[in-house]
Amino acid sequence: MAAQQAWQYTYPVWSRRAQGLSIGINLHPNQCCNWHCIYCQVPGLHRGPSPVIQIERLQQELSTCLHWLRQHLHAAKRVLSEDVQDIAFAGDGEPTTSPQFPEALALVERLLSQTTQADRPARVRLITNGSQMHLATTQQALKVLQQMGGEVWFKLDAGNDAEMLAVNDARLPLSLHLQRLQACSMACRTWVQTAVMQRRIADQLVTTPALAGYVQALLPLKENIEGILLYGIARPSQQDTLASIQAPDIRLLQQYAEALRTQGFNVRLFA
C-alpha cells in the first residue's frame, strides 16, 4: 500500500481540515522549523537550516504515489479529483524556508499538467506559518500557485504579540505578521488557519487566541481572505513539555465561529 512505502518526502494521509485524502509533501524530513508552536505534533522538532532536497527522488515518490492511487481508484470506477482533496506542502517544518520550495512547486505543476483535470488531486495547497511571505522568491511562487488554481492556508494563532510568543515562539510583532498575511492574500487565494486552545497560566485556563483581539486583528483583512479554518487540538503535542495546553470544548469553538460569522467572515469549523 502507498502509506507503507519508505518515502522521504511524500506521505498520503487523511486530513480532517481537507476533509479527505491528502498527499503531503515534506521539505523538512530533518524536523527543522523556524517556529516552535506549542501544539506542534512533530517529534524532535528543532531550529536549523533546511536540508537539501533530492528533487529527482521527490518526483519519483510523487509520481509513484499518484500512479498507485489512480490504479486503485480506476478499479473502483472513480477518479483522483473525487477522492484526493489536495497535494499539500506541509510536513515537519515551514515549506517556504526551503530554498527549493519554488522548484518543488514547479515539479508538482509539471506532473499535474500531464494528466486530465479529473485525474489529478482537487487542489494544490501551501500550509504555511507565513514567515517568508515578504520575500520576492516566495511571492513569485505564490503567483505560480495562484495560476495553478491552488491556495494558501496561513497560520494565525494570536491576537497580540504576547500570544504569538507564547503559542508560536515567534519573536515578531503581530502587526508585521498581518502585513505578511496581506501580502500573501494579494498574491494567492488565502485562508487563515487558527488553532484555538486553552493554556494553563498560574492555575487558570486562558483561551488563546483571546477572541476580541483576534477579531480586531483580522477585521481589516476581511475582504482579502477567503475565510477562516478554525480548529481545536486533535492529537497530543510533542512540544508542550509542561502539559500546559488542552483542547477547547466544542461549545467554545462554536462561540468563536459564531462571533466571526457575525462580523462577516466565512468560517469552517473543525472540532
Side-chain angles (χ1 to χ4, degrees), residues 119-164:
D119 217 18
R120 67 181 68 163
R123 195 178 296 277
V124 178
R125 290 189 171 107
L126 166 64
I127 302 178
T128 176
N129 63 26
S131 61
Q132 311 298 302
M133 294 299 150
H134 58 296
L135 300 179
T137 51
T138 306
Q139 282 288 305
Q140 184 57 42
L142 291 180
K143 292 174 183 177
V144 172
L145 183 61
Q146 174 74 4
Q147 292 168 0
M148 295 169 63
E151 65 185 21
V152 178
W153 288 0
F154 186 107
K155 183 193 299 286
L156 178 67
D157 300 322
N160 56 54
D161 295 352
E163 289 178 344
M164 280 202 71

Side-chain angles (χ1 to χ4, degrees), residues 105-270:
L105 180 62
L107 163 63
V108 172
E109 182 183 30
R110 187 166 62 253
L111 285 178
L112 295 186
S113 70
Q114 299 168 3
T115 67
T116 65
Q117 190 71 37
D119 217 18
R120 67 181 68 163
R123 195 178 296 277
V124 178
R125 290 189 171 107
L126 166 64
I127 302 178
T128 176
N129 63 26
S131 61
Q132 311 298 302
M133 294 299 150
H134 58 296
L135 300 179
T137 51
T138 306
Q139 282 288 305
Q140 184 57 42
L142 291 180
K143 292 174 183 177
V144 172
L145 183 61
Q146 174 74 4
Q147 292 168 0
M148 295 169 63
E151 65 185 21
V152 178
W153 288 0
F154 186 107
K155 183 193 299 286
L156 178 67
D157 300 322
N160 56 54
D161 295 352
E163 289 178 344
M164 280 202 71
L165 181 60
V167 174
N168 307 123
D169 198 15
R171 293 165 173 79
L172 77 160
L174 177 64
S175 59
L176 180 57
H177 193 51
L178 293 172
Q179 288 176 22
R180 292 173 180 174
L181 171 56
Q182 183 175 22
C184 179
S185 65
M186 296 295 287
C188 187
R189 170 186 168 100
T190 300
W191 287 80
V192 168
Q193 60 167 7
T194 299
V196 179
M197 70 201 74
Q198 293 190 300
R199 296 188 294 135
R200 186 166 297 280
I201 304 175
D203 295 326
Q204 290 187 330
L205 281 178
V206 177
T207 303
T208 305
L211 182 57
Y214 175 76
V215 172
Q216 289 304 310
L218 275 177
L219 273 175
L221 297 169
K222 182 173 65 175
E223 302 305 320
N224 298 78
I225 62 175
E226 298 295 320
I228 300 170
L229 308 173
L230 204 63
Y231 63 100
I233 299 168
R235 294 184 291 274
S237 167
Q238 297 295 314
Q239 320 310 321
D240 182 24
T241 56
L242 300 178
S244 62
I245 63 171
Q246 64 183 53
D249 186 88
I250 180 61
R251 290 170 295 183
L252 180 60
L253 283 172
Q254 291 169 339
Q255 176 187 338
Y256 270 56
E258 185 57 34
L260 289 162
R261 288 172 180 143
T262 300
Q263 294 292 337
F265 288 99
N266 178 19
V267 181
R268 295 179 183 172
L269 179 61
F270 307 92

